[in-house]
């Protein structure tokens, strides 16, 4: 099974709860905030995203989410004190359309980012679990949480081409290379299969 981001968190939960049903998991950049050394500040940053969405709408909420997810390094009080980014900076609408059903911004995805991995169950999966991070993700929250989880499990994450969306195309600011990503994924699966 290959899964990325929130899907990678679901894959971790599946592997921990039902190891007999999964022969291999490649979890690419799971945003497991609780394993971070700055987990409390990361949670506060995530809460600010939800508030921006509830108070100002989709464009403001997504702009806050993008600023949080692109932040390089540990979260700080200075990061949290910054004004919310202008949605136009990301090409997003500034007008509030009144809807509040976006699963990423409405709190529906909170169980994903607040997931507390069963470290013992994941350790017992051994080499059936591969944690992976994009070579260009840098110190963004998803790469940092992948490395922190790997450390807690006593392993190292594997490096994959691109960034958080390295397997996708379409975003000119973060061009992925699906072919190189697929080649790396095939190599990893073949080496462990």
């Amino acid at each position: 099974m290959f899964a990325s981001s929130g899907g990678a968190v679901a894959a971790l939960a599946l592997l921990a709860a039902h190891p007999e049903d999964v022969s291999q998991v490649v979890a690419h950049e799971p945003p497991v905030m609780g394993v971070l050394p700055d987990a409390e500040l990361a949670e506060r940053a995530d809460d600010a995203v939800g508030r921006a969405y509830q108070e100002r709408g989709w464009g403001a909420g997504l702009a806050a989410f993008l600023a949080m997810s692109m932040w390089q390094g540990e979260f700080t009080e200075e990061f949290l004190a910054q004004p919310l980014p202008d949605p136009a900076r990301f090409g997003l609408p500034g007008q509030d359309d009144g809807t509040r059903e976006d699963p990423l911004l409405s709190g529906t995805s909170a169980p994903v980012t607040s997931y507390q991995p069963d470290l013992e169950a994941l350790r017992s999966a051994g080499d059936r679990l591969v944690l992976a991070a994009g070579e260009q993700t840098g110190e963004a929250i998803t790469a940092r949480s992948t490395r922190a989880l790997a450390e807690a499990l006593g392993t190292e994450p594997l490096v994959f081409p691109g960034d958080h969306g390295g397997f996708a195309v379409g975003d000119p600011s973060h061009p992925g290379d699906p072919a190189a990503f697929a080649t790396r994924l095939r190599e990893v699966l073949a080496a462990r299969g």
Side-chain angles (χ1 to χ4, degrees):
M1 170 186 300
F2 167 76
S4 185
S5 197
V9 174
L12 293 172
L14 176 63
L15 180 61
H18 301 284
E20 70 283 357
D21 292 339
V22 186
S23 61
Q24 182 77 53
V25 169
V26 178
H28 181 257
E29 297 197 7
V32 183
M33 292 194 295
V35 298
L36 293 169
D38 57 326
E40 187 261 329
L41 292 170
E43 184 179 326
R44 287 173 51 202
D46 193 42
D47 290 346
V49 169
R51 278 194 312 280
Y53 177 61
Q54 292 302 323
E55 294 169 7
R56 297 178 41 204
W58 181 80
L62 189 55
F65 173 80
L66 291 171
M68 179 190 84
S69 62
M70 293 168 60
W71 179 256
Q72 295 291 306
E74 291 191 13
F75 290 102
T76 62
E77 292 293 344
E78 291 76 22
F79 173 82
L80 296 171
Q82 294 180 105
L84 290 172
D86 181 351
R89 172 179 155 202
F90 299 103
L92 299 168
Q95 296 295 96
D96 185 349
D97 68 2
T99 64
R100 296 296 186 271
E101 291 124 22
D102 186 287
L104 180 67
L105 306 172
S106 65
T108 303
S109 64
V112 172
T113 56
S114 65
Y115 171 70
Q116 296 297 318
D118 181 339
L119 297 176
E120 191 54 44
L122 293 175
R123 271 189 211 100
S124 29
D127 65 358
R128 293 185 305 132
L129 172 60
V130 174
L131 296 170
E135 66 186 345
Q136 296 172 348
T137 310
E139 292 297 311
I141 189 170
T142 53
R144 290 191 314 109
S145 64
T146 302
R147 287 192 294 271
L149 179 57
E151 183 178 335
L153 295 174
T155 186
E156 292 284 329
L158 298 184
V159 177
F160 272 60
D163 60 9
H164 188 64
F167 50 87
V169 294
D171 181 356
S173 64
H174 299 287
D177 186 348
F181 195 97
T183 297
R184 179 69 169 134
L185 180 57
R186 279 193 296 273
E187 292 168 358
V188 168
L189 293 174
R192 287 168 165 70

